[in-house]
Amino acid sequence: MTVVGIGLLFGVVTLVVMFSGMPIAFSLGSVAVVFMYFFMPGASLDTVTQNVYEEMASITLLSIPLFILKGAAVGRSRAGQDLYSALHVWMSRVPGGLGIANVFACALFAAMAGSSPATCSAIGSAGIPEMRKRGYSPGFAAGIIAAGGTLGILLPPSITMILYAVAAEQSLGRLFLAGIGPGLLLVTLFALYAVYRYRLEHADAVRAFNERGATSAYLDDTRYTLRDKIEMLPRVLPFVILLIGVMVALYGGFATPSETAGLGAILALLLVASIYRLWTPNDLKPILTATLKESTMLMLIIGMSLLYSYVMSFLHISQSAAEWIVGLHLAKWWLLAAVLLLVVVLGFFLPPVSIILMTAPILLPPLKAAGFDLIWFGVLMTIVMEMGLIHPPVGLNIFVIKNVAPDIPLADVIWGVLPFVLLMLLAVVLISAFPAIATGVPTLLMGPATAR
Amino acid sequence: MSHGLEVPSHQAGPVPPPLAPLARLLAAVNRAVLAVSMVALIVAAGVLTYSVLSRYFLKAATDWQDEAAVFLLVGATFLCGAYVQSYRGHVGIEAVAAILPESVNRIRRLAVDALSWLFCSFFAWKSWTLFYEALIDQQTTSSSWAPPLAIPYGLMAAGMTLLALQVLVQLLSEILVGRRRR
C-alpha cells in the first residue's frame, strides 16, 4: 500500500472510531495499535507500552497535574468571589466599571487557575447576578464571563501552551511570555467593549426614564469610600503575591517550569489553608479528587495522542501530508488562514490537547518553511482554540454559564458571546499584522529567538 | 486549560447481581487507589518545591527530584484511570450517539466498550511484559540517581489492569441488563 493509501485509511479509521463515541484516549490508542499490527514491523507491538511511557515520562508534561492542582485549590475556595468583589469596589467610579471589573477578575483568576471553565464558574457565580442586579442585560453579562474565562488558556501557566511547547519543541518559558502581550490585548479589547456596551444600555435606560419614567437598576449610583476600598485589599493581595511569586521563580531563574508547577501548587494549598481555613482532609479531598479526575483523563489522552503521532510519523503519513501542503505553494497568509480554519473546525469536536498533538507534526513544518515564527504561531493557535470554547456547537464555556445562570436563555448567551468572538478574531488579525504583540515580551526579557 | 472536561459524558449504568461482588471489590480498590494517588500528588508537588528551595538555600545538586516526581505522577495517572472510567469520565465525541435510535445506540455502546476492553487488556498485558523484563534485567533510568524502571512500569501495568477490569464489568453489566429486559 502506498503512503497516500495508508494515510487516507488512517484518517478514515480515526474518524470512524472517534465518532463512535469511544473515549478519545482509547480511540487514539487502538487506532495506533491496529496500524502498528498491519503496517509496522512485528516487534513494534512489543514496545508499544514502553513507547507511551517514554513519551509521557517528561517532567514538562507531568507538570500538568500540578498546574491543575494549583487551579483546583484556588478554584474551590472563595478566592474567585473575593477577587471579584474587591475589583468591583475599586472600579465602581469608572463608567462601565462593573463590566471591566468582571473582565479583570476573569483575567487574574484565569492566570492563577489556568482553567477556562473554572474561571467562568468562579467569577460568573458572583459576577453575573451582580451585573444583572445593576441592570446589565443577561446576554451581555453572560458574554463578558464566557469570554473572560477563555483568557485562562492564554495567560501563563497554560496547559495548552505546555503541550504546544512539547509538540513544537519550543521553549516553554518563551511561549508563556509570548502569551502575555496578546492576553493583555484581549483584556483591553474586552474591557473597551464592556464600556461601549454599558454606555449604550445606560443611555437606553436614561431615555426610558425620561420618556416613560421607567426606572432601571442602571440609574442607581452606589459609591464606595476609600475605606471600603482599602478593606478589600487583604483579600486580593495574597493571590497577587502567588501570581507574582510564581512568575519571579520562573523567570528569575530560580525554578524550571515544572518546579514552578510544584511550587505554585504548594503555595496555593498553603494560601487556601491560611486564608479560607481549608486544611482538614475533608476540605482537601474535593480539591485533590477534582485534580486527579481531570488530570488522569487529560494525561491518558496526551499519552495516547503521542503514541498516535509516533505511528503517524513512523508510517511517513505526517511527513507526506506536510510535504503535500508545502507542495501546494500557497501564499504565506493563505496557508496561515487555511491552517487556522482547520483548527477552528477541529475545535468543534476535539479538546485542544488532542488538536495540538495530532496536528503539530503535519502543520508545523509547512508553517516553519513559510517563515512563520513557531512561538508566535503557538499564541495564534491558542487564541483560535479559545474561540472554540465560546462558539457553538461545543462552546464549553457557554454550558458552564448555563449552569451558573440557568435562567438566561441559551440564545441570549450565544448572542451575548458573539461580539467577543469577533473581538478575538480582531486580536488574531492584529497579532498577525504586528507580531511583536506576541514576540515582544519574550525578546525583551530573554533576548532574540535563536534559530531552531 | 484545563478544559474542564471533567463533566462526565454519561452516568454508569446499573450492575446486575452476578457482577455485584466484583463491582464492589473494584469500587473499594478504586477508592483506596484514589487516596494513595492524592498523597502522591501532594508529595510530587512537595518534592519539586524542595528541589527549588534546596538548590537556592543549600546549593545542593538536584538530581533525583524530577524523576521522583515523574514516577509519582505517572503512577497516579495510570492508577486513577479505572476510577475515572467507573463514572465514564474519559471523554469521547458523543455527537453521533445523541442522534441514534436507542436500539442502534445499545449496539454502539457494546461495540465501543468491547473495543475499549480489548485495547486496555492488550495495553495491560504489554505493560506486564515490560515490567517483567525491567525486573529481570534490573533496568534503571539513565540518570545518575538510576532508580529501577520496574517501579513506573509496574504502576502502569497495575493501573491498566484495573482499567481493563473496570471496562469489563461495565461491558458485562450492559449485556446482562439488556438480556433481562427482553
Side-chain angles (χ1 to χ4, degrees):
Chain A
M1 213 175 195
T2 61
V3 174
V4 178
I6 297 176
L8 287 176
L9 192 64
F10 195 69
V12 170
V13 172
T14 307
L15 281 178
V16 170
V17 176
M18 289 256 231
F19 276 91
S20 74
M22 189 168 172
I24 295 174
F26 307 156
S27 343
L28 293 174
S30 29
V31 171
V33 166
V34 167
F35 274 77
M36 277 177 143
Y37 177 76
F38 283 109
F39 298 104
M40 281 164 67
S44 54
L45 272 184
D46 293 328
T47 55
V48 61
T49 47
Q50 191 177 3
N51 220 307
V52 170
Y53 175 77
E54 278 169 9
E55 298 271 16
M56 264 177 86
S58 112
I59 190 65
T60 312
L61 279 181
L62 286 166
S63 63
I64 290 173
L66 299 173
F67 279 122
I68 295 178
L69 173 60
K70 170 168 159 258
V74 177
R76 300 240 152 195
S77 67
R78 275 194 17 256
Q81 279 91 324
D82 282 353
L83 181 67
Y84 163 76
S85 320
L87 284 165
H88 174 200
V89 170
W90 275 86
M91 308 290 292
S92 62
R93 295 292 292 277
V94 184
L98 182 58
I100 302 179
N102 273 287
V103 174
F104 284 5
C106 279
L108 275 174
F109 191 84
M112 284 186 305
S115 156
S116 273
T119 305
C120 283
S121 72
I123 304 297
S125 57
I128 293 180
E130 182 68 27
M131 283 191 276
R132 293 176 74 191
K133 208 165 83 195
R134 299 301 176 89
Y136 283 53
S137 64
F140 176 34
I144 288 185
I145 298 293
T150 63
L151 295 165
I153 61 172
L154 191 58
L155 293 169
S158 138
I159 291 166
T160 314
M161 286 195 166
I162 297 177
L163 283 170
Y164 181 85
V166 171
E169 295 175 353
Q170 298 293 313
S171 146
L172 182 57
R174 281 196 98 81
L175 192 63
F176 273 173
L177 285 177
I180 294 177
L184 294 179
L185 173 69
L186 279 175
V187 169
T188 314
L189 289 174
F190 290 173
L192 286 176
Y193 175 75
V195 173
Y196 167 75
R197 181 76 186 262
Y198 167 84
R199 299 198 118 167
L200 284 187
E201 293 193 353
H202 189 264
D204 280 348
V206 172
R207 203 176 313 122
F209 179 72
N210 291 341
E211 285 170 6
R212 292 173 268 130
T215 53
S216 156
Y218 253 122
L219 307 175
D220 293 343
D221 199 11
T222 319
R223 302 220 162 206
Y224 295 94
T225 60
L226 187 63
R227 197 183 153 155
D228 288 335
K229 291 182 184 173
I230 289 172
E231 274 175 356
M232 298 306 283
L233 278 183
R235 296 188 182 187
V236 186
L237 278 182
F239 293 95
V240 176
I241 292 169
L242 170 66
L243 203 63
I244 295 174
V246 167
M247 286 289 149
V248 168
L250 182 57
Y251 293 107
F254 300 104
T256 62
S258 42
E259 287 170 347
T260 312
L263 188 67
I266 293 287
L267 281 179
L269 285 173
L270 288 177
L271 273 183
V272 297
S274 54
I275 300 177
Y276 299 103
R277 308 253 165 258
L278 296 176
W279 58 271
T280 64
N282 273 341
D283 295 329
L284 292 178
K285 222 171 127 186
I287 296 177
L288 294 167
T289 309
T291 306
L292 285 168
K293 280 179 172 179
E294 190 175 348
S295 60
T296 298
M297 192 262 307
L298 272 178
M299 291 309 297
L300 281 184
I301 295 186
I302 291 169
M304 298 308 164
S305 298
L306 290 167
L307 178 69
Y308 181 89
S309 314
Y310 164 79
V311 173
M312 200 158 64
S313 144
F314 189 96
L315 296 173
H316 272 271
I317 298 171
S318 24
Q319 294 88 328
S320 309
E323 278 163 21
W324 177 73
I325 297 176
V326 174
L328 289 178
H329 295 292
L330 287 175
K332 195 174 164 185
W333 296 102
W334 280 114
L335 171 68
L336 182 73
V339 166
L340 291 179
L341 188 69
L342 177 70
V343 174
V344 171
V345 173
L346 289 175
F348 288 164
F349 311 105
L350 290 172
V353 281
S354 320
I355 301 180
I356 293 177
L357 295 177
M358 289 168 70
T359 62
I362 295 177
L363 298 181
L364 296 184
L367 286 168
K368 200 172 171 187
F372 287 113
D373 177 327
L374 290 188
I375 295 261
W376 167 85
F377 175 72
V379 172
L380 275 195
M381 186 172 178
T382 307
I383 298 180
V384 170
M385 286 189 295
E386 277 185 80
M387 284 163 53
L389 287 175
I390 57 173
H391 66 57
V394 186
L396 193 62
N397 285 11
I398 294 180
F399 295 100
V400 177
I401 299 285
K402 272 303 280 176
N403 271 334
V404 178
D407 63 313
I408 304 181
L410 192 59
D412 278 15
V413 179
I414 291 173
W415 280 112
V417 160
L418 208 60
F420 291 95
V421 176
L422 296 178
L423 286 176
M424 291 167 95
L425 214 52
L426 174 66
V428 168
V429 173
L430 283 176
I431 296 166
S432 303
F434 308 100
I437 297 173
T439 54
V441 180
T443 308
L444 191 72
L445 292 180
M446 298 175 76
T450 45
R452 277 188 182 239
Chain B
M1 174 197 91
S2 64
H3 296 92
L5 294 166
E6 63 264 34
V7 192
S9 40
H10 45 91
Q11 286 303 316
V15 179
L19 287 170
L22 181 59
R24 267 201 304 276
L25 179 70
L26 257 182
V29 172
N30 279 340
R31 268 198 304 277
V33 159
L34 187 66
V36 173
S37 303
M38 286 180 185
V39 177
L41 196 60
I42 294 191
V43 173
V47 162
L48 290 173
T49 306
Y50 170 76
S51 164
V52 180
L53 298 180
S54 68
R55 191 173 50 232
Y56 184 71
F57 291 110
L58 310 173
K59 308 278 177 253
T62 48
D63 46 358
W64 56 272
Q65 288 89 340
D66 274 11
E67 259 178 341
V70 164
F71 282 15
L72 287 163
L73 294 168
V74 162
T77 296
F78 279 103
L79 286 177
C80 288
Y83 167 70
V84 173
Q85 178 64 26
S86 73
Y87 61 92
R88 300 220 176 238
H90 291 290
V91 284
I93 300 174
E94 299 279 322
V96 175
I99 52 170
L100 288 179
E102 177 49 30
S103 54
V104 184
N105 209 3
R106 193 178 118 77
I107 298 170
R108 178 197 67 85
R109 275 202 305 271
L110 286 176
V112 161
D113 278 355
L115 195 57
S116 301
W117 176 70
L118 277 176
F119 171 70
C120 294
S121 307
F122 172 79
F123 205 95
W125 167 45
K126 287 294 176 191
S127 306
W128 283 121
T129 56
L130 191 66
F131 165 73
Y132 180 71
E133 278 165 24
L135 200 66
I136 296 295
D137 303 344
Q138 297 185 332
Q139 295 169 13
T140 60
T141 67
S142 51
S143 71
S144 55
W145 183 41
L149 272 168
I151 299 173
Y153 290 168
L155 292 169
M156 179 161 82
M160 288 310 286
T161 308
L162 263 180
L163 179 55
L165 269 176
Q166 182 68 56
V167 177
L168 182 65
V169 166
Q170 286 166 333
L171 173 65
L172 293 178
S173 301
E174 181 84 30
I175 295 173
L176 292 176
V177 170
R179 242 191 222 151
R180 260 193 304 165
R181 271 194 205 131
R182 257 175 240 158

